Structure formats: structure tokens, C-alpha cells
Amino acid sequence: MGKCIVIVQWGDYQHELNRGAEITKDQALEELRVAAQTYLPNPGIQEKWRRVYRFADRESYFVVIKGATTKWRCTFRLAELVSDSTDPAVASKAQAEDTAADMAAEPQDRVPPGFD
């Protein structure tokens, strides 16, 4: 796996915990584990209890935090930068898509009909 980021999401809100700094998978997994145990979506939460569930892929967590008046449900996920993947099939497909997108974005020289 190439460069990774850790994403937290609750409700309609989502952000990167490592603030866009791409880190290795091992670093991201450690950050993911720590965040699931300590992260507070709102600094003012008076945490009564926390339940941490790990998904079968072992690269994502679902966390329920009980505050004084509400429950927060957060999902923590690890995401890999596709173009930096160590899986050659994934990386080459991403490169091909980038090349096709670049070619489509380039201006095409042509004369419109009727302006010969």
C-alpha cells in the first residue's frame, strides 16, 4: 500500500485526521487505532462512555460516544492514494485515467463548420 490518509466522518461532516499529510500504511493504522480510542468530534463533549467496533477489513472503525446529552457515531477509515498504490494494476489504471483526463482537458484545434 502506498501513501495513506485517515478519514473521520460523522453526520454530514468529514475530514482528514492527518491534515493531508500522506503517511505510510503502518503509520495510518496506528493513527486510526489511537483516534478510535481518543477522538472527540466536539471538544465540549463530556464523554460518559465509548464503544469501538472494528470492521472485518481491519482498516476502519465505527465508534459510538455517549455524551451528557447525545450520542455521537463516527466512522474512521484508512484511504490509499491510488496513483501511489503498490498494487501495479491499481496504479497503472489510475495513470491511464489521469492521461485520458489530461488529453480531454487539452484544447482541440479544429475549425467549426461554416468557418473554412
Side-chain angles (χ1 to χ4, degrees):
M1 188 172 243
K3 295 177 182 171
C4 299
I5 59 171
V6 177
I7 300 169
V8 61
Q9 181 174 5
W10 70 93
D12 292 335
Y13 185 75
Q14 173 179 318
H15 78 269
E16 300 169 21
L17 291 183
N18 47 333
R19 309 221 194 297
E22 295 157 352
I23 55 180
T24 67
K25 182 178 180 181
D26 290 337
Q27 292 168 325
L29 287 171
E30 178 60 22
E31 186 171 328
L32 191 64
R33 187 189 63 75
V34 170
Q37 297 294 330
T38 61
Y39 184 80
L40 291 174
N42 181 339
I45 293 176
Q46 296 175 2
E47 184 177 329
K48 293 189 176 208
W49 53 260
R50 174 185 301 247
R51 290 197 178 124
V52 178
Y53 301 90
R54 184 175 61 198
F55 289 99
D57 65 5
R58 299 186 175 265
E59 294 180 357
S60 45
Y61 290 88
F62 178 71
V63 179
V64 180
I65 303 166
K66 172 67 171 122
T69 59
T70 189
K71 279 186 187 176
W72 294 79
R73 292 163 183 84
C74 307
T75 304
F76 297 84
R77 296 180 294 176
L78 184 140
E80 176 190 22
L81 179 62
V82 174
S83 62
D84 192 49
S85 177
T86 55
D87 181 347
V90 172
S92 65
K93 183 177 179 189
Q95 255 181 348
E97 288 172 356
D98 286 347
T99 302
D102 289 344
M103 289 180 69
E106 291 178 4
Q108 302 294 320
D109 292 334
R110 68 177 187 85
V111 178
F115 287 94
D116 293 338

